[in-house]
Each structure stands twice: as structure tokens, then as C-alpha cells.
Amino acid sequence: MKHILTLVALILLSVTTYAHTLNSDPPVKTMKTNSVQHIVLFKFKPETTAAKVKEIVAAFEALPSKISQIKGFQWGTNNSPETHAHGLTHAFILTFDSVKDRDDYLPHPAHKAFGGIVGPWIDELTVVDFTNQAK
């Protein structure tokens, strides 16, 4: 009888835990209020090889280790089913704690050096920054 009660208790615990996860909202990670998101979108020139794109991405990925103001770095390639990318293929999002940190990043020698690496291969470049307003 003791084993049956233990088994029933385990089953009830499992069911209630599962039911709780179905009704819970997914966790939301919010960025720091007033943080700055620096969004960079690239369209490469047609002659840019896959190896060159890989080299450029690696150089961009190295910037957070060289520029302390960069607090977050993400990137990916466009996979939107919508047809509004205008040929832009690569997206990068850098997070800064403040407008001042972003402004310090822009003239940083490592950022300028990266511009020299990527510049000759870019057909179109879009940059949009915003300060987080979410609370």
C-alpha cells in the first residue's frame, strides 16, 4: 500500500508540474532600461566570397573582446519569409549600457580597423540605433 501511495504522489506531482508549465508565460529577458541597441545590416557586393564573409564576421565577433563598451553582441543571417530585406543578408546587434558608451565605440581604433576590413566588400549598409524604452 505504501508503494501505491508513493506512486500516486509522484504521478500527481508530475501532472501538476506539467500543467503549471503549460499555463506559465515564457520567461522574458528584458534589457536594461536606457541601454542602446546598435543594429547593423550588411548587403555584400556580389564578388564577395563565402570565405571573405566568414573572415568579416569573425572580425566583427572579435570587437567585444577589444572594446569594453560593447556589453552584448548577436548576429545572424536573414531568414525572414517576408520580402522586405532589400538584399541585406547579415544582421548584427551590439548592446551598450548608454549613449555615451555607443558614442565612445564609434571612433574606437578597433571599430575603425574593422571598417577598413568590411568597407571594400559592402554594397549596402544600414545602421539603426535605439535606446530601450521598455520597463
Side-chain angles (χ1 to χ4, degrees):
M1 183 70 169
K2 184 177 178 181
H3 293 292
I4 293 174
L5 288 176
T6 302
L7 182 60
V8 169
L10 288 173
I11 291 171
L12 285 174
L13 179 64
S14 297
V15 169
T16 56
T17 301
Y18 177 73
H20 175 72
T21 61
L22 289 178
N23 295 327
S24 295
D25 290 330
V28 176
K29 183 177 179 184
T30 58
M31 65 183 107
K32 179 181 168 190
T33 301
N34 296 326
S35 64
V36 174
Q37 300 300 299
H38 178 69
I39 302 166
V40 181
L41 307 172
F42 291 159
K43 175 183 176 184
F44 291 100
K45 291 180 179 177
E47 63 269 20
T48 310
T49 65
K52 180 54 74 173
V53 169
K54 188 174 182 178
E55 176 186 321
I56 290 166
V57 168
F60 211 161
E61 286 179 313
L63 288 183
S65 67
K66 299 175 181 179
I67 304 173
S68 64
Q69 289 86 349
I70 300 172
K71 300 302 181 194
F73 180 89
Q74 299 172 275
W75 79 273
T77 56
N78 180 43
N79 63 10
S80 175
E82 298 179 291
T83 58
H84 305 297
H86 306 285
L88 297 162
T89 58
H90 288 69
F92 302 85
I93 303 173
L94 286 74
T95 302
F96 300 92
D97 281 343
S98 65
V99 169
K100 181 189 178 311
D101 283 355
R102 188 268 325 269
D103 291 349
D104 290 346
Y105 155 81
L106 294 173
H108 192 284
H111 178 238
K112 293 294 187 185
F114 173 70
I117 293 168
V118 70
W121 304 100
I122 295 299
D123 189 26
E124 296 287 335
L125 170 69
T126 299
V127 177
V128 176
D129 294 354
F130 70 90
T131 301
N132 178 33
Q133 302 298 312
K135 298 201 184 271

